Amino acid sequence: MTHRFSPSRRQVLATGIASGLLATGLTAPAWAQASAGAVLRVGHQKGWLSIIKARGTLEKRLAPLGVKVTWTEFNAGPVQLEALNVGSIDFGDVGEAPPIFAQAAGAPLVYAGATVPRPALEAVIVPSGSAIRSVADLKGKRVAYNKGSNVHYFLVKLLEKHGLKYADVQSVFLAPADARAAFEKGAVDAWIIWDPFLASAQKTLGARILADATGVVNNRAYYFSSRDFASRHPEVLRIAVEEINAIDRWAAKHKDAAATELSAVLGLDTSITRLYLDRAQFGTAPVTREILAEQQAIADAFFDLKLIPKKLNLLHAAPVGL
């Protein structure tokens, strides 16, 4: 099924201004002239950007500016950031933690967009019959999670909120697939994971949510670019973020259709993607100083945990002109 979006007046002006002015013999704005002939190389994980790719809406928005789009799929955010660092892509999607490690490693990234807070999309889960009933019960227990990820920060803040120290739990660093296997066979007592892995564990393993991130951390997703591309083509990035937000708005109003479309992309049962979407919050917008302050708090925590070698200033990765 093809879903059409009605462009706003601003969108119509933005996408048609270059071709319209050229047709009348007038000079296009500097940003339109600078973007003509450019290529936006998008890196993406399976998800909303995959749906945008399939629909071709970004290509349609950028065509009047003379901008082409290419797509490369990656299996994780950190790999995308490595591609950015070596100049292979210009734009991508990622969670909270990977861009902090990339900035610490000297990558020339800037934040281009951020979702609204989505705290219900990450949680601590335990087996349905577990004796663990509260966060305090995690003391001394084996807790599996992905080291240096968004859930790593969530664990630190969750324990802090409940009067525990980070060292009070036995951290077992495992990637999602390995953590699921360990959880399923009882090799760990709890698992901290994000959607759609979270919804899958609930639906197929009968996992019980002990605590999600509500009231603890925001758990945003981010979109990034290189400083060079952002400096030369700010309008292209603005349009890309607008198209992502359009998909967000559509999914919020059409959850059944979105669950079906997303299940095909992710290779998951529709009941899993529907559970994920039922607790999701939708909306994507440019990054503000307030959002960067959230990332600063994560970077500071990772420095304190000795996960990154130096303190970071997140303003060094601020959008151009912020």
Side-chain angles (χ1 to χ4, degrees):
M1 180 184 296
T2 300
H3 305 274
R4 299 184 181 277
F5 303 104
S6 298
S8 65
R9 181 174 179 273
R10 182 184 180 190
Q11 290 172 333
V12 170
L13 289 172
T15 55
I17 194 168
S19 55
L21 287 174
L22 289 174
T24 61
L26 299 176
T27 303
W31 57 260
Q33 296 181 53
S35 293
V39 177
L40 175 64
R41 300 168 300 170
V42 180
H44 68 105
Q45 304 173 64
K46 289 184 183 296
W48 298 118
L49 282 177
S50 305
I51 294 175
I52 290 175
K53 174 188 176 184
R55 293 182 179 183
T57 54
L58 183 57
E59 285 86 347
K60 292 174 184 176
R61 285 289 310 279
L62 291 175
L65 302 185
V67 178
K68 295 184 178 180
V69 184
T70 64
W71 300 84
T72 304
E73 186 176 298
F74 295 85
N75 61 9
V79 189
Q80 288 190 69
L81 287 159
E82 290 173 12
L84 179 85
N85 199 27
V86 298
S88 297
I89 63 172
D90 307 303
F91 186 80
D93 56 334
V94 72
E96 295 169 320
I100 289 171
F101 288 95
Q103 185 182 347
L109 74 93
V110 296
Y111 290 87
T115 67
V116 297
R118 309 171 309 158
L121 299 189
E122 61 181 358
V124 182
I125 56 175
V126 295
S128 57
S130 172
I132 298 173
R133 294 288 166 179
S134 69
V135 173
D137 293 337
L138 291 174
K139 188 171 183 176
K141 299 298 191 293
R142 298 161 299 176
V143 181
Y145 58 94
N146 207 37
K147 183 178 182 180
S149 67
N150 56 329
V151 293
H152 195 153
Y153 179 65
F154 167 41
L155 173 63
V156 172
K157 303 307 287 185
L158 181 68
L159 294 174
E160 181 181 290
K161 181 177 180 178
H162 289 269
L164 297 176
K165 297 177 181 178
Y166 177 62
D168 284 338
V169 301
Q170 298 180 47
S171 292
V172 181
F173 299 133
L174 293 171
D178 295 329
R180 179 187 168 103
F183 182 84
E184 193 168 1
K185 65 184 180 184
V188 296
D189 301 300
W191 178 22
I192 315 179
I193 191 58
W194 57 86
D195 271 317
F197 299 105
L198 171 59
S200 179
Q202 288 179 269
K203 286 289 187 180
T204 63
L205 302 180
R208 170 167 53 88
I209 290 181
L210 182 70
D212 68 21
T214 302
V216 183
V217 297
N218 279 333
N219 186 39
R220 298 181 192 267
Y222 288 93
Y223 297 89
F224 62 86
S225 185
S226 68
R227 182 157 298 281
D228 177 63
F229 191 91
S231 298
R232 290 186 294 114
H233 307 295
E235 189 69 10
V236 173
L237 295 181
R238 184 187 66 77
I239 289 171
V241 171
E242 284 184 356
E243 285 304 304
I244 295 165
N245 189 48
I247 284 287
D248 275 355
R249 293 198 312 270
W250 169 78
K253 295 178 181 178
H254 306 88
K255 289 187 179 178
D256 284 337
T260 298
E261 201 161 347
L262 199 57
S263 69
V265 169
L266 298 175
L268 296 171
D269 188 84
T270 305
S271 66
I272 294 173
T273 52
R274 180 62 204 235
L275 177 58
Y276 157 33
L277 293 178
D278 279 344
R279 57 183 167 227
Q281 298 295 316
F282 300 93
T284 301
V287 169
T288 63
R289 286 179 177 269
E290 290 75 19
I291 292 174
L292 284 177
E294 295 175 19
Q295 286 293 91
Q296 185 68 60
I298 299 174
D300 292 345
F302 283 174
F303 176 73
D304 291 340
L305 291 170
K306 297 181 171 54
L307 293 174
I308 56 175
K310 60 184 179 181
K311 288 186 73 71
L312 298 180
N313 183 344
L314 265 292
L315 291 177
H316 292 165
V320 174
L322 183 64

Short mmCIF file of all heavy atoms in Angstrom, two decimals, residues 240-280:
data_model
loop_
_atom_site.label_atom_id
_atom_site.label_comp_id
_atom_site.label_asym_id
_atom_site.label_seq_id
_atom_site.Cartn_x
_atom_site.Cartn_y
_atom_site.Cartn_z
N ALA A 240 15.62 15.97 4.80
CA ALA A 240 15.71 14.57 5.24
C ALA A 240 15.02 14.39 6.59
O ALA A 240 14.26 13.43 6.80
CB ALA A 240 17.17 14.14 5.33
N VAL A 241 15.27 15.30 7.52
CA VAL A 241 14.64 15.21 8.84
C VAL A 241 13.13 15.40 8.73
O VAL A 241 12.35 14.71 9.41
CB VAL A 241 15.26 16.24 9.81
CG1 VAL A 241 14.48 16.31 11.12
CG2 VAL A 241 16.72 15.87 10.09
N GLU A 242 12.69 16.27 7.85
CA GLU A 242 11.25 16.46 7.64
C GLU A 242 10.59 15.18 7.11
O GLU A 242 9.48 14.83 7.53
CB GLU A 242 11.00 17.60 6.65
CG GLU A 242 11.18 18.98 7.24
CD GLU A 242 10.82 20.09 6.26
OE1 GLU A 242 10.51 19.79 5.10
OE2 GLU A 242 10.86 21.26 6.68
N GLU A 243 11.27 14.48 6.22
CA GLU A 243 10.70 13.25 5.68
C GLU A 243 10.62 12.15 6.75
O GLU A 243 9.68 11.36 6.76
CB GLU A 243 11.52 12.77 4.47
CG GLU A 243 11.29 13.60 3.22
CD GLU A 243 9.83 13.63 2.83
OE1 GLU A 243 9.22 12.55 2.64
OE2 GLU A 243 9.27 14.74 2.74
N ILE A 244 11.61 12.11 7.62
CA ILE A 244 11.56 11.15 8.73
C ILE A 244 10.40 11.48 9.65
O ILE A 244 9.66 10.60 10.09
CB ILE A 244 12.89 11.14 9.48
CG1 ILE A 244 14.02 10.63 8.59
CG2 ILE A 244 12.80 10.28 10.75
CD1 ILE A 244 15.40 10.91 9.11
N ASN A 245 10.22 12.76 9.93
CA ASN A 245 9.11 13.17 10.78
C ASN A 245 7.76 12.86 10.14
O ASN A 245 6.80 12.53 10.83
CB ASN A 245 9.22 14.66 11.10
CG ASN A 245 8.23 15.10 12.16
OD1 ASN A 245 8.10 14.45 13.20
ND2 ASN A 245 7.52 16.18 11.91
N ALA A 246 7.69 12.95 8.82
CA ALA A 246 6.45 12.62 8.11
C ALA A 246 6.10 11.14 8.30
O ALA A 246 4.94 10.79 8.51
CB ALA A 246 6.59 12.95 6.62
N ILE A 247 7.11 10.28 8.23
CA ILE A 247 6.87 8.85 8.48
C ILE A 247 6.44 8.64 9.93
O ILE A 247 5.53 7.85 10.22
CB ILE A 247 8.15 8.04 8.18
CG1 ILE A 247 8.35 7.89 6.67
CG2 ILE A 247 8.10 6.66 8.83
CD1 ILE A 247 7.40 6.95 6.00
N ASP A 248 7.06 9.35 10.85
CA ASP A 248 6.67 9.26 12.26
C ASP A 248 5.20 9.63 12.44
O ASP A 248 4.45 8.93 13.13
CB ASP A 248 7.53 10.22 13.11
CG ASP A 248 8.85 9.60 13.53
OD1 ASP A 248 9.06 8.41 13.25
OD2 ASP A 248 9.66 10.30 14.17
N ARG A 249 4.80 10.74 11.85
CA ARG A 249 3.41 11.20 12.00
C ARG A 249 2.43 10.20 11.39
O ARG A 249 1.36 9.94 11.95
CB ARG A 249 3.23 12.58 11.35
CG ARG A 249 3.99 13.70 12.04
CD ARG A 249 3.42 15.07 11.64
NE ARG A 249 3.24 15.19 10.21
CZ ARG A 249 4.15 15.65 9.36
NH1 ARG A 249 5.35 16.02 9.83
NH2 ARG A 249 3.91 15.75 8.08
N TRP A 250 2.81 9.63 10.26
CA TRP A 250 1.95 8.63 9.63
C TRP A 250 1.83 7.40 10.53
O TRP A 250 0.71 6.89 10.75
CB TRP A 250 2.52 8.23 8.27
CG TRP A 250 1.84 7.02 7.71
CD1 TRP A 250 0.62 6.99 7.09
CD2 TRP A 250 2.31 5.68 7.75
NE1 TRP A 250 0.30 5.70 6.75
CE2 TRP A 250 1.33 4.87 7.14
CE3 TRP A 250 3.48 5.08 8.23
CZ2 TRP A 250 1.47 3.49 7.02
CZ3 TRP A 250 3.62 3.70 8.12
CH2 TRP A 250 2.63 2.92 7.51
N ALA A 251 2.94 6.90 11.05
CA ALA A 251 2.92 5.70 11.89
C ALA A 251 2.09 5.91 13.15
O ALA A 251 1.38 5.00 13.60
CB ALA A 251 4.34 5.31 12.27
N ALA A 252 2.14 7.11 13.72
CA ALA A 252 1.37 7.40 14.92
C ALA A 252 -0.13 7.29 14.66
O ALA A 252 -0.89 6.91 15.56
CB ALA A 252 1.71 8.79 15.44
N LYS A 253 -0.55 7.60 13.44
CA LYS A 253 -1.98 7.59 13.11
C LYS A 253 -2.44 6.28 12.47
O LYS A 253 -3.64 6.03 12.39
CB LYS A 253 -2.28 8.76 12.16
CG LYS A 253 -2.08 10.13 12.78
CD LYS A 253 -2.37 11.22 11.76
CE LYS A 253 -2.16 12.61 12.36
NZ LYS A 253 -2.39 13.68 11.36
N HIS A 254 -1.49 5.47 12.01
CA HIS A 254 -1.84 4.24 11.29
C HIS A 254 -0.99 3.07 11.82
O HIS A 254 -0.19 2.48 11.10
CB HIS A 254 -1.61 4.40 9.79
CG HIS A 254 -2.31 5.58 9.18
ND1 HIS A 254 -1.76 6.84 9.12
CD2 HIS A 254 -3.56 5.68 8.63
CE1 HIS A 254 -2.61 7.66 8.53
NE2 HIS A 254 -3.71 7.00 8.23
N LYS A 255 -1.18 2.74 13.10
CA LYS A 255 -0.30 1.77 13.74
C LYS A 255 -0.43 0.36 13.16
O LYS A 255 0.57 -0.37 13.08
CB LYS A 255 -0.52 1.76 15.25
CG LYS A 255 0.00 3.01 15.93
CD LYS A 255 -0.07 2.91 17.44
CE LYS A 255 0.50 4.17 18.09
NZ LYS A 255 0.40 4.12 19.56
N ASP A 256 -1.63 -0.02 12.75
CA ASP A 256 -1.77 -1.36 12.16
C ASP A 256 -0.98 -1.46 10.85
O ASP A 256 -0.24 -2.43 10.64
CB ASP A 256 -3.25 -1.67 11.90
CG ASP A 256 -4.01 -2.02 13.17
OD1 ASP A 256 -3.36 -2.45 14.15
OD2 ASP A 256 -5.25 -1.88 13.19
N ALA A 257 -1.16 -0.47 9.99
CA ALA A 257 -0.43 -0.47 8.72
C ALA A 257 1.07 -0.35 8.95
O ALA A 257 1.87 -1.02 8.28
CB ALA A 257 -0.93 0.67 7.84
N ALA A 258 1.46 0.49 9.91
CA ALA A 258 2.88 0.66 10.20
C ALA A 258 3.48 -0.62 10.74
O ALA A 258 4.60 -1.00 10.39
CB ALA A 258 3.07 1.79 11.20
N ALA A 259 2.74 -1.33 11.60
CA ALA A 259 3.23 -2.59 12.16
C ALA A 259 3.43 -3.61 11.06
O ALA A 259 4.42 -4.37 11.06
CB ALA A 259 2.24 -3.12 13.20
N THR A 260 2.53 -3.65 10.09
CA THR A 260 2.65 -4.58 8.97
C THR A 260 3.86 -4.25 8.11
O THR A 260 4.65 -5.14 7.74
CB THR A 260 1.37 -4.54 8.11
OG1 THR A 260 0.26 -4.95 8.91
CG2 THR A 260 1.49 -5.47 6.92
N GLU A 261 4.02 -2.97 7.80
CA GLU A 261 5.14 -2.55 6.95
C GLU A 261 6.47 -2.76 7.67
O GLU A 261 7.45 -3.22 7.07
CB GLU A 261 4.96 -1.08 6.57
CG GLU A 261 5.73 -0.67 5.33
CD GLU A 261 5.20 0.61 4.70
OE1 GLU A 261 4.10 1.06 5.06
OE2 GLU A 261 5.90 1.14 3.82
N LEU A 262 6.51 -2.46 8.96
CA LEU A 262 7.75 -2.61 9.72
C LEU A 262 8.09 -4.09 9.93
O LEU A 262 9.27 -4.46 9.93
CB LEU A 262 7.62 -1.90 11.06
CG LEU A 262 8.90 -1.56 11.82
CD1 LEU A 262 9.83 -0.70 10.97
CD2 LEU A 262 8.57 -0.85 13.13
N SER A 263 7.08 -4.93 10.09
CA SER A 263 7.34 -6.36 10.29
C SER A 263 8.01 -6.96 9.05
O SER A 263 8.88 -7.84 9.16
CB SER A 263 6.05 -7.11 10.62
OG SER A 263 5.18 -7.15 9.50
N ALA A 264 7.60 -6.48 7.86
CA ALA A 264 8.22 -6.98 6.63
C ALA A 264 9.69 -6.56 6.55
O ALA A 264 10.55 -7.32 6.11
CB ALA A 264 7.45 -6.44 5.42
N VAL A 265 9.99 -5.33 7.00
CA VAL A 265 11.36 -4.83 6.99
C VAL A 265 12.24 -5.58 7.99
O VAL A 265 13.37 -5.97 7.69
CB VAL A 265 11.39 -3.32 7.31
CG1 VAL A 265 12.81 -2.83 7.56
CG2 VAL A 265 10.76 -2.52 6.17
N LEU A 266 11.70 -5.81 9.19
CA LEU A 266 12.48 -6.41 10.28
C LEU A 266 12.45 -7.93 10.28
O LEU A 266 13.24 -8.56 11.00
CB LEU A 266 11.96 -5.89 11.62
CG LEU A 266 12.06 -4.38 11.85
CD1 LEU A 266 11.39 -3.99 13.17
CD2 LEU A 266 13.52 -3.93 11.85
N GLY A 267 11.53 -8.53 9.53
CA GLY A 267 11.41 -9.98 9.52
C GLY A 267 10.83 -10.52 10.82
O GLY A 267 11.19 -11.61 11.26
N LEU A 268 9.93 -9.76 11.43
CA LEU A 268 9.31 -10.15 12.70
C LEU A 268 7.81 -10.29 12.52
O LEU A 268 7.22 -9.68 11.62
CB LEU A 268 9.59 -9.09 13.78
CG LEU A 268 11.04 -8.90 14.20
CD1 LEU A 268 11.15 -7.68 15.11
CD2 LEU A 268 11.58 -10.15 14.89
N ASP A 269 7.18 -11.07 13.40
CA ASP A 269 5.74 -11.20 13.38
C ASP A 269 5.09 -9.84 13.66
O ASP A 269 5.60 -9.05 14.45
CB ASP A 269 5.29 -12.22 14.43
CG ASP A 269 3.80 -12.53 14.32
OD1 ASP A 269 3.45 -13.39 13.49
OD2 ASP A 269 3.00 -11.91 15.05
N THR A 270 3.96 -9.60 13.02
CA THR A 270 3.29 -8.32 13.18
C THR A 270 2.88 -8.05 14.62
O THR A 270 2.84 -6.89 15.06
CB THR A 270 2.05 -8.24 12.26
OG1 THR A 270 2.45 -8.51 10.92
CG2 THR A 270 1.41 -6.87 12.32
N SER A 271 2.58 -9.10 15.39
CA SER A 271 2.21 -8.90 16.79
C SER A 271 3.35 -8.29 17.58
O SER A 271 3.13 -7.54 18.53
CB SER A 271 1.78 -10.22 17.43
OG SER A 271 2.87 -11.13 17.51
N ILE A 272 4.58 -8.58 17.18
CA ILE A 272 5.76 -8.03 17.85
C ILE A 272 5.93 -6.56 17.52
O ILE A 272 6.12 -5.72 18.40
CB ILE A 272 7.02 -8.83 17.47
CG1 ILE A 272 6.91 -10.26 18.02
CG2 ILE A 272 8.28 -8.15 18.00
CD1 ILE A 272 8.04 -11.18 17.55
N THR A 273 5.84 -6.23 16.23
CA THR A 273 6.01 -4.82 15.85
C THR A 273 4.84 -3.97 16.36
O THR A 273 5.03 -2.80 16.68
CB THR A 273 6.15 -4.67 14.32
OG1 THR A 273 5.08 -5.34 13.66
CG2 THR A 273 7.47 -5.25 13.84
N ARG A 274 3.65 -4.57 16.48
CA ARG A 274 2.51 -3.81 17.01
C ARG A 274 2.72 -3.50 18.49
O ARG A 274 2.44 -2.38 18.95
CB ARG A 274 1.21 -4.60 16.82
CG ARG A 274 -0.03 -3.86 17.34
CD ARG A 274 -0.25 -2.56 16.60
NE ARG A 274 -1.01 -1.59 17.39
CZ ARG A 274 -2.13 -0.99 16.99
NH1 ARG A 274 -2.64 -1.27 15.80
NH2 ARG A 274 -2.74 -0.13 17.75
N LEU A 275 3.23 -4.48 19.26
CA LEU A 275 3.53 -4.23 20.67
C LEU A 275 4.55 -3.12 20.82
O LEU A 275 4.41 -2.22 21.68
CB LEU A 275 4.04 -5.51 21.33
CG LEU A 275 4.47 -5.41 22.80
CD1 LEU A 275 3.33 -4.91 23.67
CD2 LEU A 275 4.99 -6.77 23.29
N TYR A 276 5.56 -3.15 19.98
CA TYR A 276 6.60 -2.11 19.96
C TYR A 276 5.98 -0.74 19.67
O TYR A 276 6.22 0.24 20.40
CB TYR A 276 7.65 -2.53 18.93
CG TYR A 276 8.53 -1.48 18.31
CD1 TYR A 276 8.95 -0.36 19.00
CD2 TYR A 276 8.98 -1.65 17.00
CE1 TYR A 276 9.78 0.59 18.40
CE2 TYR A 276 9.81 -0.72 16.40
CZ TYR A 276 10.19 0.41 17.09
OH TYR A 276 11.01 1.33 16.49
N LEU A 277 5.15 -0.65 18.64
CA LEU A 277 4.57 0.63 18.26
C LEU A 277 3.55 1.14 19.27
O LEU A 277 3.38 2.35 19.42
CB LEU A 277 3.91 0.51 16.88
CG LEU A 277 4.86 0.26 15.69
CD1 LEU A 277 4.07 0.12 14.40
CD2 LEU A 277 5.88 1.37 15.57
N ASP A 278 2.89 0.23 19.97
CA ASP A 278 1.88 0.65 20.95
C ASP A 278 2.49 1.46 22.09
O ASP A 278 1.79 2.27 22.72
CB ASP A 278 1.16 -0.57 21.53
CG ASP A 278 0.07 -1.08 20.60
OD1 ASP A 278 -0.33 -0.34 19.68
OD2 ASP A 278 -0.39 -2.22 20.79
N ARG A 279 3.77 1.27 22.38
CA ARG A 279 4.38 2.02 23.47
C ARG A 279 5.37 3.08 22.97
O ARG A 279 6.07 3.72 23.76
CB ARG A 279 5.07 1.07 24.45
CG ARG A 279 6.13 0.18 23.85
CD ARG A 279 6.70 -0.76 24.91
NE ARG A 279 7.49 -1.83 24.33
CZ ARG A 279 7.36 -3.12 24.67
NH1 ARG A 279 6.51 -3.48 25.58
NH2 ARG A 279 8.11 -4.04 24.10
N ALA A 280 5.45 3.21 21.66
CA ALA A 280 6.38 4.18 21.08
C ALA A 280 5.80 5.59 21.11
O ALA A 280 4.58 5.78 21.14
CB ALA A 280 6.71 3.80 19.64
#
